[in-house]
Amino acid sequence: MSTRRTLSVAALLVAGALVAGCEQYDGNSTTTVAVPPRETFAPVAALLESHCGTLDCHGSPARNLRIYGVNGLRANGNSVTGSPDTTEEEVDRTYESLVSVDPEHLGAVFAESGRDPERWLVIRKSRGTELHTGGTPLPAGEPGDRCLTGWIAGGTDGGVCTEDDFGPKPRAGETW
């Protein structure tokens, strides 16, 4: 068999394998993933807002993970950074954004009561075990990390979140 013909046959075999491996999406398929509840999320939202929610970080509309609140991105186009305080709508939007990041792994960690939380991309990035431009905002084992991992483990009080987890917040008119 000539080299040209051999290459043509190989190309056809590869193309056939690719077509056979593809499924056509019919628009009706859905996958349901259980994630931690919104009802216990408010303390976690406050933690994320204080550590990651500034305009130069995840408080930017240019980010895949968007954190809404008083120090960054506002849900209401009439509100400005710094005032008024974070709204329930902003907590809702932060929740929706967060649980949309790598939901399959988040659901698996939640279903297993928090076992091996580093399966979830957000934990790996926040702990610095995966490259994160923002460094390591929530080091493993520290209060902020325990707050987030407690929530994804199904903690009914937002995990183990306390005001101490949130760190300093700029006051109205201040920038970080």
Side-chain angles (χ1 to χ4, degrees):
M1 195 181 285
S2 73
T3 303
R4 185 175 185 188
R5 186 165 188 199
T6 302
L7 290 175
S8 296
V9 170
L12 284 173
L13 289 173
V14 168
L18 289 174
V19 169
C22 294
E23 293 183 29
Q24 185 173 0
Y25 178 66
D26 64 6
N28 295 319
S29 300
T30 60
T31 301
T32 302
V33 177
V35 296
R38 163 58 181 93
E39 293 76 26
T40 59
F41 183 69
V44 177
L47 168 78
L48 295 174
E49 181 184 336
S50 69
H51 283 77
C52 315
T54 57
L55 290 170
D56 62 340
C57 199
H58 291 283
S60 166
R63 294 304 188 102
N64 290 338
L65 169 57
R66 295 183 184 106
I67 298 172
Y68 294 80
V70 68
N71 296 315
L73 187 61
R74 303 311 304 256
N76 177 338
N78 297 324
S79 296
V80 295
T81 300
S83 180
D85 288 339
T86 301
T87 66
E88 283 300 310
E89 179 185 6
E90 289 166 338
V91 174
D92 290 343
R93 286 205 178 169
T94 297
Y95 173 81
E96 291 164 4
S97 179
L98 185 67
V99 299
S100 297
V101 175
D102 193 16
E104 293 83 6
H105 287 112
L106 171 59
V109 172
F110 178 63
E112 296 173 15
S113 301
R115 187 181 65 78
D116 192 15
E118 284 209 9
R119 289 179 285 173
W120 189 33
L121 176 67
V122 172
I123 296 295
R124 292 193 309 271
K125 289 203 175 244
S126 68
R127 288 180 171 178
T129 57
E130 184 163 316
L131 182 61
H132 179 245
T133 302
T136 307
L138 304 173
E142 294 294 317
D145 176 67
R146 291 194 315 266
C147 173
L148 183 57
T149 57
W151 176 70
I152 64 174
T156 58
D157 62 351
V160 292
C161 303
T162 67
E163 285 293 325
D164 295 337
D165 299 330
F166 307 150
K169 286 187 177 183
R171 286 177 233 133
E174 288 183 335
T175 58
W176 287 359

